Amino acid sequence: MRVVIGEDQTLLRDGLARILTAYGETVVAAVGTAPELREAIADAEADVAIVDVRMPPSFTDEGLRVATQARARRPGFPILVLSQHVEVLYARELLSDGRGGLGYLLKDRVADVARFVEAVRIVAGGGTVLDPDVVADLLGRRGREESIARLTPREREVLRLMAEGRANAGIAHRLGVTEKAVNKHINNIFGKLGLLPDGDDNRRVLAVLNYLESP
């Protein structure tokens, strides 16, 4: 896996590069500004980019702008966004194109090295990973909406774990149930959210995106 890193904090940028290298991945570029990130994503043969939301020169949302522009040029290009705080608006904007290959994590999650590397690999493979704190915030904001309100507490828990990027086996282990039970819950979720079988759609991603639709 070939990775581009865009992070203005030197220690964190170097730490990310060291972590990924130690796990056998190849860091093709590690840069500290939005213009450098834009160039790195355009020129490097990267499989995934790890992007800080706020980068120089203005430290507002340059990293996110670069990420969305990269997705516009290369539809489906995998992006994992790192943020200092829960900023649901950014998560919603990032995932608004309805494609997979996206992640949004708080920087604190990097401390769990194995889980962080797993998240990078999930995103690079076309999956979707949302930080548990972002998911909790979205659940709290959207709990009264009709589509989500149809779900039972267990189904909401399964959907939350899906949003964190966990596979069915991981969900089953976390909840202490069988994979068959998880499959049943997921099928119920799809039905209640109106996600009918379609070979061209990733229904797991679409289910997660139900959290992110505007009211």
Side-chain angles (χ1 to χ4, degrees):
M1 182 172 63
R2 296 162 296 184
V3 186
V4 166
I5 299 171
E7 166 59 54
D8 66 285
Q9 297 180 38
T10 302
L11 289 178
L12 180 55
R13 183 172 66 247
D14 290 349
L16 293 173
R18 289 175 181 272
I19 288 170
L20 291 165
T21 300
Y23 274 75
E25 311 302 349
T26 300
V27 177
V28 295
V31 300
T33 69
E36 290 175 317
L37 176 61
R38 184 177 295 108
E39 183 177 350
I41 292 177
D43 293 345
E45 294 182 0
D47 299 312
V48 61
I50 300 171
V51 178
D52 186 9
V53 170
R54 303 177 186 273
M55 298 185 70
S58 73
F59 293 97
T60 54
D61 62 352
E62 283 96 331
L64 185 71
R65 298 288 120 231
V66 172
T68 54
Q69 290 165 9
R71 296 272 292 186
R73 290 192 304 269
R74 298 172 59 184
F77 177 68
I79 299 283
L80 174 61
V81 169
L82 297 179
S83 180
Q84 193 70 43
H85 309 287
V86 176
E87 298 176 281
V88 175
L89 177 62
Y90 290 151
R92 180 182 294 118
E93 184 170 358
L94 180 68
L95 293 168
S96 62
D97 68 3
R99 299 175 182 270
L102 287 170
Y104 188 102
L105 292 179
L106 296 182
K107 290 184 178 181
D108 290 348
R109 305 300 177 190
V110 177
D112 186 343
V113 172
R115 178 63 178 155
F116 169 71
V117 174
E118 179 188 10
V120 176
R121 290 170 174 168
I122 288 171
V123 170
T128 300
V129 177
L130 293 180
D131 192 279
D133 285 355
V134 175
V135 174
D137 190 284
L138 292 168
L139 276 168
R141 292 181 181 210
R142 306 188 60 80
R144 294 187 297 273
E145 293 190 16
E146 182 179 355
S147 61
I148 300 298
R150 294 192 188 105
L151 304 182
T152 66
R154 175 64 88 182
E155 290 164 355
R156 287 163 62 89
E157 192 171 13
V158 170
L159 182 52
R160 175 179 61 80
L161 294 171
M162 288 168 59
E164 292 177 18
R166 299 181 186 275
N168 289 9
I171 295 173
H173 178 74
R174 181 71 175 269
L175 298 180
V177 299
T178 65
E179 284 193 56
K180 183 177 180 180
V182 171
N183 287 330
K184 181 178 179 180
H185 288 311
I186 290 175
N187 286 331
N188 288 340
I189 291 168
F190 290 157
K192 291 179 181 180
L193 296 183
L195 301 177
L196 301 178
D198 188 329
D200 295 327
D201 286 336
N202 185 335
R203 291 193 293 167
R204 293 180 80 95
V205 173
L206 293 175
V208 170
L209 292 175
N210 271 269
Y211 287 131
L212 306 175
E213 294 173 348
S214 300

